Amino acid sequence: MNKPPRVLFVCLGNICRSPLAHGVFRAQAARAGLMIEADSAGTGGWHAGDPPDRRAQAIAQAHGYDLSDLRARQVTRADFDRFDLILAMDRSNLRDLQSLRPEGARAELRLFLHPAQDDVPDPYYDGRFSHVLELLEQGVERLIAELQRA
Ligand code: 4NP
């Protein structure tokens, strides 16, 4: 039997977009009966150890997702060997991850909204969490369909 795919969601602070993506993905994968391992991280370490932003927790809870066990951490070079797929929320995150990526690392690295190649906009300052959650749910649906085909 194939090992469950290991997926890492990455944004800037790891308190808004990537923990939401993580929470949606694990819930939808469980619903689909798909075995996965998931985590999230930030390219920056300012919020390391913090729970998700309370606005992210609130929108998640309103849609039936629980983020209360998640804590922020900074992405590391070792993550490129620990995960099969690393998904960047926006192009800036993708560029930062490309610079960090060790030569010959195994993880596939790409934008989360694939193949659309759109950014998931940062809701930290503009508060558009509901729009972000909608994009994340659409992206996760696509991702699960892809993993089910693999
Ligand atoms: P995230 O949002 O990358 O979606 O977690 C942000 C959270 C915090 C900051 C920026 C973006 N910040 O600058 O502290």
Side-chain angles (χ1 to χ4, degrees):
M1 200 178 98
N2 285 343
K3 281 195 180 160
R6 288 174 293 183
V7 182
L8 180 67
F9 300 91
V10 178
C11 62
L12 177 60
N14 193 209
I15 55 169
C16 297
R17 293 166 292 175
S18 61
L20 270 170
H22 179 179
V24 171
F25 180 60
R26 68 184 178 181
Q28 300 290 17
R31 232 168 269 169
L34 180 70
M35 294 285 291
I36 50 97
E37 286 179 25
D39 197 7
S40 68
T43 57
W46 315 282
H47 295 282
D50 291 352
D53 185 286
R54 61 170 63 97
R55 297 166 295 174
Q57 297 211 47
I59 195 83
Q61 201 169 18
H63 288 79
Y65 306 107
D66 180 15
L67 310 184
S68 60
D69 60 312
L70 304 182
R71 294 294 177 270
R73 71 173 179 90
Q74 189 168 18
V75 69
T76 68
R77 288 165 61 84
D79 286 322
F80 289 86
D81 282 315
R82 288 200 191 112
F83 291 89
D84 301 303
L85 188 55
I86 300 183
L87 298 172
M89 289 294 138
D90 64 31
R91 287 174 180 78
S92 167
N93 306 148
L94 184 63
R95 278 194 299 274
D96 289 342
L97 288 164
Q98 280 161 344
S99 318
L100 189 68
R101 182 194 185 107
E103 190 86 16
R106 58 191 291 275
E108 180 185 347
L109 171 62
R110 69 186 196 204
L111 275 179
F112 169 74
L113 288 179
H114 172 90
Q117 300 300 98
D118 288 331
D119 289 341
V120 177
D122 190 342
Y124 186 67
Y125 294 107
D126 69 13
R128 296 186 69 205
F129 282 84
S130 160
H131 174 59
V132 162
L133 182 60
E134 208 172 294
L135 291 174
L136 294 176
E137 285 183 316
Q138 288 166 9
V140 161
E141 194 178 322
R142 254 182 186 281
L143 175 61
I144 287 179
E146 176 188 338
L147 294 173
Q148 282 174 324
R149 286 193 301 272

